[in-house]
Amino acid sequence: MQSHRAGNALAAFSFVLWGILPLYYHFLPQANTNELLASRIIFSVPVMLLIIMILRQPLPSYRAIINDKRSLIFTVIASLIMCISWYAFTWALTHGQVLAASLGFFINPLFAIAFGVFFLKERLSNAQIAAVVLGIAGISYQVWNYGELPWIALIMGSFFALYGLCKKFIKYNALTSVTIESVVLAPFAIAFMLWQYLQGSSVALSSDIQTLLLYMGSAPVTLAPLIFFALAINRTSLTMVGLMQYIEPSLQFLLAVFLFGEIFDEVKLVSFGFIWLGLLLCTLEALIRGFKNKHRLRAQ
């Protein structure tokens, strides 16, 4: 019981850290998103190795990695997909679009449900069907009124769901796969940063030390929540993790509206309302299922 509570606390804390990330990126307005992404990739390698040492996990075996070619291929694909999702996320946070980032994480579970049906042949419950329909209705309402798709939110939500789908086919543990993702992309990121510097157009390498440190810090501040999440995942249930994941976009939503002063008009209220209602139905269904399963186990 104590371990379970500790797991819940660690999971909640990890999502809180992810949720308040906009506060960090608020110090980098109009940042060069390409360099920000490259900096995160480069400095993720030493940070991930440090995390593995802190958690006393064995270092990934080169032979084991190479022998599992299927996992390696999907890890490379996952790294490229994450780049796209993270690029959209960092652009949103550094260009006054935190509300769009929040929407992206709110609709991510809907994309995950859809991909589960199309690629994994999973069957939808009534609540999940309703959530997908309500999500489509919410996005459609925004498109109808604004005349354009919420591209940032859709890219974030869909590519992060694709990233999760790739993880289904990777046998490496979570820390190993994330480390490999960084190692694979690091040479390209280093080459890009050097090219930017030689061209005289590098923001991170040509600015003051504070700006450079902020670019470098994008790796640890985004990976720190992973430490707590990795510690939590074996100490709590996936149901609780699924329910607590909405802490992140909820905090981002509150920061966008009440701290950063982004416009939350009637159109967004209706659009978000549809999506929130669908997520509420899925949450209630998960809680009821968890309660029934617990009651059944006690009866046995």
Side-chain angles (χ1 to χ4, degrees):
M1 180 62 72
Q2 189 173 358
S3 176
H4 189 74
R5 288 177 180 173
N8 289 342
L10 288 167
F13 187 59
S14 69
F15 287 119
V16 168
L17 289 179
W18 271 312
I20 61 175
L21 266 180
L23 294 174
Y24 181 86
Y25 286 99
H26 196 57
F27 292 103
L28 286 167
Q30 304 297 317
N32 185 313
T33 313
N34 294 322
E35 288 192 34
L36 202 52
L37 178 63
S39 299
R40 182 186 181 274
I41 292 170
I42 293 168
F43 291 100
S44 287
V45 177
V47 170
M48 284 307 303
L49 292 175
L50 181 61
I51 290 172
I52 290 173
M53 289 175 61
I54 291 173
L55 296 180
R56 297 181 180 178
Q57 298 291 318
L59 288 172
S61 165
Y62 176 78
R63 181 170 294 180
I65 292 170
I66 295 299
N67 287 343
D68 192 349
K69 292 182 174 58
R70 186 168 183 263
S71 292
L72 182 59
I73 290 170
F74 274 103
T75 301
V76 173
I77 294 171
S79 68
L80 297 174
I81 290 172
M82 177 51 75
C83 274
I84 297 172
S85 178
W86 197 257
Y87 187 93
F89 179 55
T90 51
W91 187 92
L93 296 191
T94 55
H95 289 76
Q97 297 290 323
V98 178
L99 207 54
S102 171
L103 178 62
F105 284 116
F106 273 125
I107 63 177
N108 166 253
L110 305 181
F111 277 108
I113 290 170
F115 291 157
V117 173
F118 289 119
F119 296 105
L120 303 178
K121 306 303 179 184
E122 295 177 354
R123 302 184 69 176
L124 295 184
S125 65
N126 292 332
Q128 288 174 328
I129 293 172
V132 171
V133 172
L134 287 167
I136 293 171
I139 297 298
S140 300
Y141 186 79
Q142 241 187 84
V143 174
W144 176 265
N145 283 274
Y146 292 154
E148 61 181 11
L149 286 167
W151 287 110
I152 295 297
L154 290 173
I155 290 171
M156 281 180 55
S158 60
F159 276 86
F160 197 71
L162 281 173
Y163 177 77
L165 180 65
C166 282
K167 290 291 189 179
K168 293 280 189 181
F169 303 98
I170 298 173
K171 294 181 180 178
Y172 309 137
N173 65 53
L175 295 180
T176 299
S177 63
V178 173
T179 304
I180 295 171
E181 289 169 25
S182 302
V183 170
V184 167
L185 295 174
F188 301 99
I190 293 170
F192 171 76
M193 291 295 285
L194 287 174
W195 180 76
Q196 286 282 94
Y197 180 72
L198 293 174
Q199 293 291 316
S201 56
S202 173
V203 175
L205 299 178
S206 302
S207 299
D208 55 88
I209 188 65
Q210 180 180 344
T211 302
L212 175 60
L213 290 174
L214 284 169
Y215 273 80
M216 292 170 60
S218 63
V221 299
T222 53
L223 292 172
L226 183 64
I227 302 174
F228 296 100
F229 186 78
L231 291 171
I233 198 67
N234 292 324
R235 292 176 171 86
T236 187
S237 65
L238 289 177
T239 300
M240 286 303 299
V241 170
L243 295 176
M244 285 190 286
Q245 71 175 325
Y246 300 119
I247 292 173
E248 177 187 353
S250 298
L251 287 174
Q252 291 170 0
F253 173 83
L254 294 173
L255 288 174
V257 175
F258 296 107
L259 186 61
F260 303 142
E262 293 187 25
I263 298 173
F264 186 65
D265 54 22
E266 292 181 2
V267 173
K268 288 178 181 174
L269 176 61
V270 174
S271 179
F272 271 77
F274 276 118
I275 295 165
W276 286 335
L277 178 58
L279 295 177
L280 177 62
L281 291 175
C282 287
T283 300
L284 291 174
E285 182 186 58
L287 287 172
I288 292 170
R289 187 188 301 118
F291 177 78
K292 287 182 177 178
N293 289 339
K294 187 180 292 186
H295 184 73
R296 188 181 301 113
L297 288 173
R298 286 179 178 176
Q300 293 175 351

